[in-house]
Amino acid sequence: MNFRPLTRVVAVLLLLSGAVLTGYYANEIRVARSETPKILAVAWQTHGKRISLRDLPLQRLQWLLAIEDPAFFEHHGVDLYTPGAGMTTISQGLVKLLYFPDGFQKGIAKIRQTLIARYAFDTLVSKEEQLALLLNTAYLGQVNGVAIYGFSAAAETYFHRNFAALSDGEFKSLVAMLAAPDRFVPGSSALLERTARINAYLSGAYQPASVLDTEYDGKTKGSLGEEIFMAMLRLITDAKPQIQANSAVGHSQPVIPSGPSH
């Protein structure tokens, strides 16, 4: 039996599918780039600028980056190489919040999220503004059915004090919540355990075993599906940071704006 005609048909179909997908995602990036100024304006109007980077001591900023995005100042929106980084950078997390108004569904939407972060959001929004957005718009759980957004509101809600008055431990607990705010609830055993692991990591007593070791529990690799998906995302984003992070803790040196940010 001659399989050559069938092989040619399959090859043509694969090429056509690739072309269609390329066109689709290229258009999604184009739209995202054109809408970014409006999206940012809406975000600031909705959440306000209650915290600026000057309100965050350098040590705490380094803790935040070490936990959430170790190579933040070195990557272009996506980092699928640095141990402990996970599959979602700060840039991708903000894209998830700002560019998916109807809600983010896990799965195929990860491709759109990642491409927007890499080719639209990170190229148009400074790292300093991204950090300010994180501080003011991050989802940090809910109380009595009311969602809490931003570190200032979280400090007042969970600890009954303003953000500047938080202890180091209280600040770390809020950062620890970011991974899963509805799971890591203040006062819960889950959050206490995660915070203890974070402290071991920040002290240098623990080093992440792989990109996906975000729980600091020795995870050396993901499932087969996760590894294949990461390989694909690396291919389409060229996601390696310009300077590989040798040590997540205190490695990235943030540039703090000197002018007014309000």
Side-chain angles (χ1 to χ4, degrees):
M1 184 175 180
N2 188 357
F3 288 99
R4 288 185 178 179
L6 178 59
T7 301
R8 284 197 294 269
V9 170
V10 171
V12 170
L13 289 175
L14 288 174
L15 288 173
L16 288 174
S17 297
V20 169
L21 287 174
T22 299
Y24 170 77
Y25 285 116
N27 185 63
E28 289 293 303
I29 293 169
R30 180 190 64 79
V31 171
R33 289 180 66 90
S34 67
E35 293 186 349
T36 291
K38 180 176 69 176
I39 289 172
L40 293 181
V42 170
W44 287 126
Q45 182 178 17
T46 301
H47 299 282
K49 294 184 178 180
R50 301 184 63 182
I51 303 176
S52 73
L53 284 183
R54 291 193 304 274
D55 298 319
L56 193 62
L58 179 58
Q59 179 68 79
R60 292 189 179 185
L61 179 53
Q62 290 178 329
W63 290 340
L64 172 64
L65 294 179
I67 296 162
E68 281 298 299
D69 198 339
F72 177 71
F73 280 97
E74 299 161 358
H75 66 60
H76 298 293
V78 181
D79 177 13
L80 296 166
Y81 290 90
T82 304
M87 289 182 68
T88 303
T89 61
I90 287 174
S91 308
Q92 288 170 283
L94 290 167
V95 167
K96 176 180 176 180
L97 175 67
L98 302 177
Y99 292 76
F100 291 81
D102 297 325
F104 180 85
Q105 301 296 322
K106 293 182 179 180
I108 198 70
K110 185 70 175 179
I111 297 176
R112 177 171 176 260
Q113 174 204 31
T114 301
L115 291 173
I116 290 175
R118 171 65 177 88
Y119 297 110
F121 185 72
D122 193 71
T123 62
L124 297 174
V125 184
S126 71
K127 295 291 188 179
E128 289 71 31
E129 184 168 10
Q130 289 184 45
L131 286 173
L133 281 165
L134 174 68
L135 292 172
N136 288 282
T137 69
Y139 172 64
L140 285 161
Q142 55 181 301
V143 175
N144 298 324
V146 178
I148 309 300
Y149 289 97
F151 278 71
S152 181
E156 294 165 0
T157 300
Y158 297 121
F159 302 109
H160 310 293
R161 66 188 73 187
N162 62 46
F163 178 74
L166 290 177
S167 68
D168 286 346
E170 289 166 342
F171 174 75
K172 288 178 184 177
S173 70
L174 291 183
V175 176
M177 289 180 67
L178 289 170
D182 293 321
R183 173 187 169 199
F184 298 121
V185 179
S188 68
S189 59
L191 182 59
L192 291 173
E193 180 181 350
R194 175 163 172 75
T195 303
R197 289 180 177 177
I198 282 174
N199 284 330
Y201 165 52
L202 293 177
S203 72
Y206 180 84
Q207 291 296 321
S210 70
V211 173
L212 295 179
D213 187 13
T214 57
E215 294 287 343
Y216 313 125
D217 60 0
K219 185 175 183 178
T220 57
K221 61 181 180 180
S223 66
L224 178 60
E226 287 173 327
E227 293 294 334
I228 291 174
F229 199 48
M230 283 198 298
M232 181 191 69
L233 292 178
R234 289 186 184 110
L235 182 65
I236 63 178
T237 61
D238 185 26
K240 194 169 187 176
Q242 287 182 324
I243 303 173
Q244 189 71 13
N246 296 317
S247 173
V249 181
H251 178 75
S252 297
Q253 296 301 314
V255 180
I256 308 300
S258 57
S261 61
H262 288 276

